[in-house]
Amino acid sequence: MSIEALRAAWRDPEAAARAHRGAGGRVVAFLCDNVPTELISAAGAFPLRVHGRPNRLSGARTRLVDTLYPPDVTQRPDFVGSMLDALLDGRYDIADAVIVPHNRNAVQAIHRELADARAEYGVAVPTTWYLDKAWSPFEEARAYNRQALIDLRARLESMAGAAIDDASLEQAVNDAERARDGLAAIAGVRNANVLCGSIALEMMGAYWSLPASAYARLAVAAVDEIPRVPRQRLRVYLGGSPVDHPAFYAQVEKLGGNIVAEDHCWGERAADARLSDAMAPFDALAERFHATPACSIRFPLAATIAANRDRALRSQVDAAIFRVEARDAVQAWETPEQVSAFEAAGIPTLHLRMQPYGDESAADECIAAFFSGLAR
C-alpha cells in the first residue's frame, strides 16, 4: 500500500538516499526547509533533509561541540541537538555535502560547530556549505539572495562536473510541484478529519526523504486509499516549535483530539513553497528563496501571526495548542502574541511552555483539562 510506503520512508528517512548512493549517485543533505531542493535534483544528486528524532540524541554534541564554547553559546533546543548528534555520529556520511542555511541561530551554528569538531577532534563529518540569506524586504536583499543561489548552483555544478541545463532544472521544478500537490492532497484529507494527524505527519514528512517524482506518485495513490470515515474528535491546530516526529500528535489523539492543521516545517507548510509559472525556473527559485519564510520565521511578527491565524480559521478548528519546547528562543518570543491573536479570533488556545523533547506525555494533564473545558 502507498500509505505504508510513505510511512516506511518516514521511519527510515535515509533509506532511499542510501540506495541512491549505493548505486553510485551523489547525495546532498540539507538542514531545515528553505533550501531549494530543485537545484540539487537538477544537478543529478539526491536531496536529503537532515532528520532529527528524540532517539537520535546521543550526546555526541556534548562531548565534541559544547566543550569548545562558553555555555551560553550552546543553548540550543533538543530538536536541533538531535540533528547535530546525527551528523556527528556519521548518520549522514552518505552525503557529499551538507547545506546549512541562514535560519534560526542554533541551526546556522551547525556550520561552524561541525568545522570546529573536525579541526579539534578529527571527527569525520561531511563538508558543509553555508547558504546565506538576507532577511530584509528591500531590493538589495533580493539581489543578494539571488547571488546566494547562483553561488550554490555553481557549487552543485562543480560537484557534478557538468552545468545544470535548462531542461534538467525544468524537470526538477515540475517534479517538485507535483510532490507539493500530493502533500497538499494528504493535508486536505486530514483536514476533513478522516485521517489521524499522527499518520498524516509521517505521510507528509516522507516528502523530505524521497525523490520528488516518487513522492508525488505515492501521495496520489495514498490519498485514494484513505477511507472517508469522519472521526468524532476535536479538530485541533498546532503551533509553536517544529515537530519532527508524531508522538505528540498521537498523545492529542489519545486525549480526544485530532491535529488537522499546523504551522511548522515538517507538516503541511511544505506544500506552500510554490513557484511562479510566470518566471523562468531559476528566477522563480530565486524569488521564492527571497520571499518565503523559513522554519516559522517571518518578518514582521505580524505576518507570522496572520499566517497562523488564517490557516487555523480556514481549517475550521475547534481549538489550538501552541507547544513551545525548552530553549526554543524563537517560539518563546513570538508565541504569546500568537496566542492572544487566536483568542481574539474566537479560537480557544492552550499555550504549553518549556516542553521536553521526546516526552510528549508531559502535558497530558493540561491538555485533558483544556479539552474537558471545551466539551462543557
Side-chain angles (χ1 to χ4, degrees):
M1 291 177 63
S2 298
I3 292 175
E4 288 308 312
L6 289 174
R7 297 181 71 189
W10 180 88
R11 288 191 291 269
D12 187 357
E14 294 83 33
R18 284 197 303 270
H20 181 82
R21 180 73 175 189
R26 295 188 180 277
V27 175
V28 175
F30 60 95
L31 291 150
C32 289
D33 63 345
N34 62 326
V35 171
T37 57
E38 297 90 344
L39 276 179
I40 300 171
S41 297
F46 190 112
L48 173 65
R49 185 173 177 182
V50 174
H51 285 63
R53 303 281 167 82
N55 62 6
R56 296 185 173 188
L57 281 171
S58 68
R61 69 198 185 285
T62 304
R63 301 189 308 273
L64 300 173
V65 170
D66 292 357
T67 52
L68 303 177
Y69 308 105
D72 61 316
V73 176
T74 57
Q75 292 299 303
R76 67 181 73 82
D78 279 348
F79 62 81
V80 176
S82 66
M83 294 188 289
L84 180 55
D85 277 353
L87 288 161
L88 290 166
D89 286 334
R91 192 176 291 272
Y92 289 90
D93 59 3
I94 57 174
D96 294 273
V98 176
I99 300 173
V100 182
H102 185 159
N103 203 295
R104 54 173 75 223
N105 290 340
V107 168
Q108 62 185 10
I110 289 176
H111 176 62
R112 180 198 70 238
E113 290 167 343
L114 291 179
D116 288 351
R118 183 191 300 112
E120 185 71 19
Y121 298 112
V123 181
V125 293
T127 298
T128 57
W129 297 346
Y130 184 62
L131 178 60
D132 202 4
K133 176 176 179 175
W135 288 94
S136 74
F138 306 115
E139 285 304 310
E140 293 86 350
R142 176 176 276 105
Y144 184 90
N145 293 335
R146 180 184 178 85
Q147 185 60 50
L149 289 202
I150 290 172
D151 294 343
L152 175 61
R153 179 174 184 161
R155 276 185 148 168
L156 290 165
E157 290 173 334
S158 177
M159 181 191 71
I164 296 173
D165 59 74
D166 291 343
S168 296
L169 186 54
E170 184 173 0
Q171 184 63 57
V173 165
N174 289 338
D175 288 345
E177 289 290 272
R178 299 297 76 74
R180 287 186 279 270
D181 288 342
L183 193 154
I186 292 170
V189 173
R190 178 189 61 168
N191 189 253
N193 218 9
V194 299
L195 177 64
C196 287
S198 57
I199 294 174
L201 186 66
E202 292 182 353
M203 294 169 66
M204 292 186 293
Y207 170 87
W208 301 106
S209 304
L210 293 170
S213 58
Y215 182 84
R217 174 176 49 81
L218 288 170
V220 169
V223 166
D224 290 338
E225 294 171 3
I226 299 168
R228 300 310 200 262
V229 180
R231 297 174 180 274
Q232 301 304 312
R233 294 175 180 270
L234 289 168
R235 298 167 57 83
V236 179
Y237 181 87
L238 178 64
S241 298
V243 179
D244 56 23
H245 60 289
F248 183 74
Y249 284 61
Q251 285 299 115
V252 169
E253 290 157 17
K254 177 182 174 182
L255 296 168
N258 191 33
I259 295 172
V260 299
E262 70 274 301
D263 182 70
H264 65 72
C265 57
W266 291 99
E268 66 178 296
R269 202 176 65 209
D272 296 344
R274 300 292 181 167
L275 292 167
S276 170
D277 57 10
M279 297 180 175
F282 185 82
D283 294 339
L285 287 172
E287 182 58 28
R288 184 187 65 188
F289 181 65
H290 172 70
T292 303
C295 203
S296 303
I297 302 169
R298 290 181 180 87
F299 296 103
L301 176 56
T304 300
I305 294 171
N308 265 295
R309 181 198 60 223
D310 292 349
R311 191 188 297 274
L313 290 172
R314 288 195 305 271
S315 300
Q316 299 180 314
V317 296
D318 300 307
I321 297 174
F322 280 81
R323 180 180 181 274
V324 179
E325 293 195 1
R327 296 183 296 282
D328 185 356
V330 173
Q331 294 301 331
W333 173 261
E334 68 183 34
T335 295
E337 290 191 46
Q338 293 192 61
V339 169
S340 296
F342 269 57
E343 291 175 340
I347 302 172
T349 303
L350 174 64
H351 183 184
L352 300 173
R353 300 169 173 84
M354 297 292 291
Q355 294 300 292
Y357 181 66
D359 181 10
E360 281 67 32
S361 64
D364 277 6
E365 188 174 340
C366 292
I367 296 171
F370 177 58
F371 285 172
S372 177
L374 296 174
R376 291 196 298 270

